[in-house]
PDB file of all heavy atoms in Angstrom:
ATOM      1  N   ARG R 155      12.806  -2.760 -10.716  1.00  0.00           N
ATOM      2  CA  ARG R 155      13.988  -2.000 -10.284  1.00  0.00           C
ATOM      3  C   ARG R 155      13.615  -0.525 -10.094  1.00  0.00           C
ATOM      4  O   ARG R 155      12.863   0.025 -10.899  1.00  0.00           O
ATOM      5  CB  ARG R 155      15.099  -2.083 -11.347  1.00  0.00           C
ATOM      6  CG  ARG R 155      15.738  -3.462 -11.439  1.00  0.00           C
ATOM      7  CD  ARG R 155      16.714  -3.502 -12.585  1.00  0.00           C
ATOM      8  NE  ARG R 155      17.401  -4.785 -12.659  1.00  0.00           N
ATOM      9  CZ  ARG R 155      18.628  -4.997 -12.181  1.00  0.00           C
ATOM     10  NH1 ARG R 155      19.298  -4.000 -11.625  1.00  0.00           N
ATOM     11  NH2 ARG R 155      19.187  -6.192 -12.267  1.00  0.00           N
ATOM     12  N   LEU R 156      14.132   0.087  -9.032  1.00  0.00           N
ATOM     13  CA  LEU R 156      13.862   1.500  -8.798  1.00  0.00           C
ATOM     14  C   LEU R 156      14.614   2.329  -9.825  1.00  0.00           C
ATOM     15  O   LEU R 156      15.841   2.290  -9.910  1.00  0.00           O
ATOM     16  CB  LEU R 156      14.295   1.927  -7.392  1.00  0.00           C
ATOM     17  CG  LEU R 156      14.075   3.394  -7.032  1.00  0.00           C
ATOM     18  CD1 LEU R 156      12.605   3.770  -7.184  1.00  0.00           C
ATOM     19  CD2 LEU R 156      14.550   3.690  -5.625  1.00  0.00           C
ATOM     20  N   ALA R 157      13.863   3.022 -10.660  1.00  0.00           N
ATOM     21  CA  ALA R 157      14.472   3.846 -11.702  1.00  0.00           C
ATOM     22  C   ALA R 157      15.346   4.938 -11.092  1.00  0.00           C
ATOM     23  O   ALA R 157      15.072   5.470 -10.018  1.00  0.00           O
ATOM     24  CB  ALA R 157      13.384   4.477 -12.568  1.00  0.00           C
ATOM     25  N   ASP R 158      16.434   5.255 -11.781  1.00  0.00           N
ATOM     26  CA  ASP R 158      17.290   6.361 -11.379  1.00  0.00           C
ATOM     27  C   ASP R 158      16.621   7.640 -11.869  1.00  0.00           C
ATOM     28  O   ASP R 158      16.788   8.048 -13.023  1.00  0.00           O
ATOM     29  CB  ASP R 158      18.681   6.199 -12.008  1.00  0.00           C
ATOM     30  CG  ASP R 158      19.657   7.261 -11.521  1.00  0.00           C
ATOM     31  OD1 ASP R 158      19.194   8.311 -10.988  1.00  0.00           O
ATOM     32  OD2 ASP R 158      20.865   7.058 -11.658  1.00  0.00           O
ATOM     33  N   ILE R 159      15.846   8.269 -10.984  1.00  0.00           N
ATOM     34  CA  ILE R 159      15.049   9.410 -11.418  1.00  0.00           C
ATOM     35  C   ILE R 159      15.881  10.678 -11.545  1.00  0.00           C
ATOM     36  O   ILE R 159      15.360  11.720 -11.940  1.00  0.00           O
ATOM     37  CB  ILE R 159      13.841   9.654 -10.473  1.00  0.00           C
ATOM     38  CG1 ILE R 159      14.297   9.918  -9.051  1.00  0.00           C
ATOM     39  CG2 ILE R 159      12.896   8.463 -10.511  1.00  0.00           C
ATOM     40  CD1 ILE R 159      13.132  10.189  -8.118  1.00  0.00           C
ATOM     41  N   TYR R 160      17.193  10.589 -11.217  1.00  0.00           N
ATOM     42  CA  TYR R 160      18.079  11.721 -11.473  1.00  0.00           C
ATOM     43  C   TYR R 160      18.580  11.684 -12.923  1.00  0.00           C
ATOM     44  O   TYR R 160      18.750  12.714 -13.552  1.00  0.00           O
ATOM     45  CB  TYR R 160      19.281  11.691 -10.546  1.00  0.00           C
ATOM     46  CG  TYR R 160      18.940  11.899  -9.079  1.00  0.00           C
ATOM     47  CD1 TYR R 160      19.136  10.875  -8.166  1.00  0.00           C
ATOM     48  CD2 TYR R 160      18.434  13.118  -8.621  1.00  0.00           C
ATOM     49  CE1 TYR R 160      18.837  11.042  -6.819  1.00  0.00           C
ATOM     50  CE2 TYR R 160      18.108  13.288  -7.284  1.00  0.00           C
ATOM     51  CZ  TYR R 160      18.315  12.251  -6.386  1.00  0.00           C
ATOM     52  OH  TYR R 160      18.018  12.425  -5.067  1.00  0.00           O
ATOM     53  N   ARG R 161      18.799  10.468 -13.461  1.00  0.00           N
ATOM     54  CA  ARG R 161      19.409  10.338 -14.790  1.00  0.00           C
ATOM     55  C   ARG R 161      18.420   9.912 -15.857  1.00  0.00           C
ATOM     56  O   ARG R 161      18.572  10.280 -17.013  1.00  0.00           O
ATOM     57  CB  ARG R 161      20.559   9.322 -14.716  1.00  0.00           C
ATOM     58  CG  ARG R 161      21.692   9.751 -13.797  1.00  0.00           C
ATOM     59  CD  ARG R 161      22.822   8.739 -13.833  1.00  0.00           C
ATOM     60  NE  ARG R 161      23.935   9.132 -12.963  1.00  0.00           N
ATOM     61  CZ  ARG R 161      25.049   8.434 -12.832  1.00  0.00           C
ATOM     62  NH1 ARG R 161      25.200   7.287 -13.478  1.00  0.00           N
ATOM     63  NH2 ARG R 161      25.997   8.845 -12.004  1.00  0.00           N
ATOM     64  N   GLN R 162      17.421   9.089 -15.505  1.00  0.00           N
ATOM     65  CA  GLN R 162      16.468   8.606 -16.494  1.00  0.00           C
ATOM     66  C   GLN R 162      15.295   9.584 -16.619  1.00  0.00           C
ATOM     67  O   GLN R 162      15.009  10.336 -15.705  1.00  0.00           O
ATOM     68  CB  GLN R 162      15.959   7.212 -16.087  1.00  0.00           C
ATOM     69  CG  GLN R 162      17.060   6.166 -16.034  1.00  0.00           C
ATOM     70  CD  GLN R 162      16.533   4.808 -15.618  1.00  0.00           C
ATOM     71  OE1 GLN R 162      15.334   4.559 -15.589  1.00  0.00           O
ATOM     72  NE2 GLN R 162      17.439   3.912 -15.267  1.00  0.00           N
ATOM     73  N   PRO R 163      14.637   9.588 -17.787  1.00  0.00           N
ATOM     74  CA  PRO R 163      13.508  10.504 -17.991  1.00  0.00           C
ATOM     75  C   PRO R 163      12.251  10.018 -17.287  1.00  0.00           C
ATOM     76  O   PRO R 163      11.242   9.658 -17.902  1.00  0.00           O
ATOM     77  CB  PRO R 163      13.344  10.481 -19.520  1.00  0.00           C
ATOM     78  CG  PRO R 163      13.803   9.124 -19.925  1.00  0.00           C
ATOM     79  CD  PRO R 163      14.944   8.802 -18.996  1.00  0.00           C
ATOM     80  N   VAL R 164      12.319   9.989 -15.933  1.00  0.00           N
ATOM     81  CA  VAL R 164      11.214   9.527 -15.104  1.00  0.00           C
ATOM     82  C   VAL R 164      10.878  10.632 -14.119  1.00  0.00           C
ATOM     83  O   VAL R 164      11.752  11.135 -13.400  1.00  0.00           O
ATOM     84  CB  VAL R 164      11.573   8.233 -14.343  1.00  0.00           C
ATOM     85  CG1 VAL R 164      10.499   7.873 -13.361  1.00  0.00           C
ATOM     86  CG2 VAL R 164      11.797   7.085 -15.330  1.00  0.00           C
ATOM     87  N   ASP R 165       9.611  11.028 -14.060  1.00  0.00           N
ATOM     88  CA  ASP R 165       9.199  12.063 -13.130  1.00  0.00           C
ATOM     89  C   ASP R 165       8.894  11.477 -11.749  1.00  0.00           C
ATOM     90  O   ASP R 165       9.237  12.081 -10.724  1.00  0.00           O
ATOM     91  CB  ASP R 165       7.935  12.766 -13.654  1.00  0.00           C
ATOM     92  CG  ASP R 165       8.164  13.417 -15.004  1.00  0.00           C
ATOM     93  OD1 ASP R 165       9.120  14.222 -15.099  1.00  0.00           O
ATOM     94  OD2 ASP R 165       7.440  13.102 -15.948  1.00  0.00           O
ATOM     95  N   LEU R 166       8.225  10.322 -11.753  1.00  0.00           N
ATOM     96  CA  LEU R 166       7.769   9.701 -10.500  1.00  0.00           C
ATOM     97  C   LEU R 166       8.023   8.205 -10.555  1.00  0.00           C
ATOM     98  O   LEU R 166       7.982   7.594 -11.633  1.00  0.00           O
ATOM     99  CB  LEU R 166       6.269   9.920 -10.278  1.00  0.00           C
ATOM    100  CG  LEU R 166       5.724  11.340 -10.363  1.00  0.00           C
ATOM    101  CD1 LEU R 166       4.202  11.302 -10.412  1.00  0.00           C
ATOM    102  CD2 LEU R 166       6.202  12.161  -9.172  1.00  0.00           C
ATOM    103  N   ALA R 167       8.253   7.619  -9.396  1.00  0.00           N
ATOM    104  CA  ALA R 167       8.325   6.166  -9.283  1.00  0.00           C
ATOM    105  C   ALA R 167       7.395   5.734  -8.166  1.00  0.00           C
ATOM    106  O   ALA R 167       7.338   6.395  -7.121  1.00  0.00           O
ATOM    107  CB  ALA R 167       9.752   5.706  -9.000  1.00  0.00           C
ATOM    108  N   ILE R 168       6.663   4.650  -8.378  1.00  0.00           N
ATOM    109  CA  ILE R 168       5.816   4.084  -7.329  1.00  0.00           C
ATOM    110  C   ILE R 168       6.476   2.799  -6.892  1.00  0.00           C
ATOM    111  O   ILE R 168       6.659   1.890  -7.714  1.00  0.00           O
ATOM    112  CB  ILE R 168       4.391   3.867  -7.862  1.00  0.00           C
ATOM    113  CG1 ILE R 168       3.759   5.232  -8.157  1.00  0.00           C
ATOM    114  CG2 ILE R 168       3.554   3.103  -6.821  1.00  0.00           C
ATOM    115  CD1 ILE R 168       2.446   5.167  -8.895  1.00  0.00           C
ATOM    116  N   ARG R 169       6.864   2.726  -5.640  1.00  0.00           N
ATOM    117  CA  ARG R 169       7.683   1.617  -5.194  1.00  0.00           C
ATOM    118  C   ARG R 169       7.337   1.168  -3.773  1.00  0.00           C
ATOM    119  O   ARG R 169       6.879   1.965  -2.936  1.00  0.00           O
ATOM    120  CB  ARG R 169       9.178   2.012  -5.214  1.00  0.00           C
ATOM    121  CG  ARG R 169       9.766   2.041  -6.605  1.00  0.00           C
ATOM    122  CD  ARG R 169       9.823   0.660  -7.210  1.00  0.00           C
ATOM    123  NE  ARG R 169      10.360   0.637  -8.576  1.00  0.00           N
ATOM    124  CZ  ARG R 169       9.629   0.664  -9.670  1.00  0.00           C
ATOM    125  NH1 ARG R 169       8.314   0.771  -9.580  1.00  0.00           N
ATOM    126  NH2 ARG R 169      10.187   0.605 -10.857  1.00  0.00           N
ATOM    127  N   TYR R 170       7.594  -0.111  -3.520  1.00  0.00           N
ATOM    128  CA  TYR R 170       7.528  -0.670  -2.172  1.00  0.00           C
ATOM    129  C   TYR R 170       8.828  -0.393  -1.431  1.00  0.00           C
ATOM    130  O   TYR R 170       9.893  -0.297  -2.046  1.00  0.00           O
ATOM    131  CB  TYR R 170       7.284  -2.181  -2.212  1.00  0.00           C
ATOM    132  CG  TYR R 170       5.917  -2.600  -2.675  1.00  0.00           C
ATOM    133  CD1 TYR R 170       5.729  -3.285  -3.865  1.00  0.00           C
ATOM    134  CD2 TYR R 170       4.787  -2.299  -1.914  1.00  0.00           C
ATOM    135  CE1 TYR R 170       4.475  -3.694  -4.280  1.00  0.00           C
ATOM    136  CE2 TYR R 170       3.523  -2.682  -2.324  1.00  0.00           C
ATOM    137  CZ  TYR R 170       3.365  -3.379  -3.523  1.00  0.00           C
ATOM    138  OH  TYR R 170       2.111  -3.767  -3.923  1.00  0.00           O
ATOM    139  N   GLY R 171       8.731  -0.303  -0.103  1.00  0.00           N
ATOM    140  CA  GLY R 171       9.910  -0.140   0.722  1.00  0.00           C
ATOM    141  C   GLY R 171      10.336   1.298   0.887  1.00  0.00           C
ATOM    142  O   GLY R 171       9.757   2.227   0.306  1.00  0.00           O
ATOM    143  N   ILE R 172      11.381   1.489   1.687  1.00  0.00           N
ATOM    144  CA  ILE R 172      11.931   2.835   1.927  1.00  0.00           C
ATOM    145  C   ILE R 172      13.075   3.073   0.964  1.00  0.00           C
ATOM    146  O   ILE R 172      13.979   2.243   0.853  1.00  0.00           O
ATOM    147  CB  ILE R 172      12.456   2.935   3.384  1.00  0.00           C
ATOM    148  CG1 ILE R 172      11.358   2.555   4.375  1.00  0.00           C
ATOM    149  CG2 ILE R 172      12.975   4.331   3.660  1.00  0.00           C
ATOM    150  CD1 ILE R 172      10.136   3.430   4.314  1.00  0.00           C
ATOM    151  N   PRO R 173      13.071   4.187   0.218  1.00  0.00           N
ATOM    152  CA  PRO R 173      14.165   4.445  -0.719  1.00  0.00           C
ATOM    153  C   PRO R 173      15.519   4.473  -0.024  1.00  0.00           C
ATOM    154  O   PRO R 173      15.663   5.024   1.077  1.00  0.00           O
ATOM    155  CB  PRO R 173      13.824   5.844  -1.282  1.00  0.00           C
ATOM    156  CG  PRO R 173      12.351   5.989  -1.094  1.00  0.00           C
ATOM    157  CD  PRO R 173      12.040   5.239   0.186  1.00  0.00           C
ATOM    158  N   VAL R 174      16.507   3.807  -0.647  1.00  0.00           N
ATOM    159  CA  VAL R 174      17.852   3.797  -0.070  1.00  0.00           C
ATOM    160  C   VAL R 174      18.435   5.195  -0.053  1.00  0.00           C
ATOM    161  O   VAL R 174      19.134   5.588   0.884  1.00  0.00           O
ATOM    162  CB  VAL R 174      18.760   2.837  -0.890  1.00  0.00           C
ATOM    163  CG1 VAL R 174      20.201   2.882  -0.373  1.00  0.00           C
ATOM    164  CG2 VAL R 174      18.213   1.416  -0.828  1.00  0.00           C
TER     165      VAL R 174
END
Side-chain angles (χ1 to χ4, degrees):
R155 290 174 177 261
L156 179 58
D158 186 342
I159 60 179
Y160 295 114
R161 297 183 180 181
Q162 297 179 13
V164 173
D165 300 305
L166 307 169
I168 294 170
R169 285 293 179 265
Y170 289 115
I172 305 300
V174 176

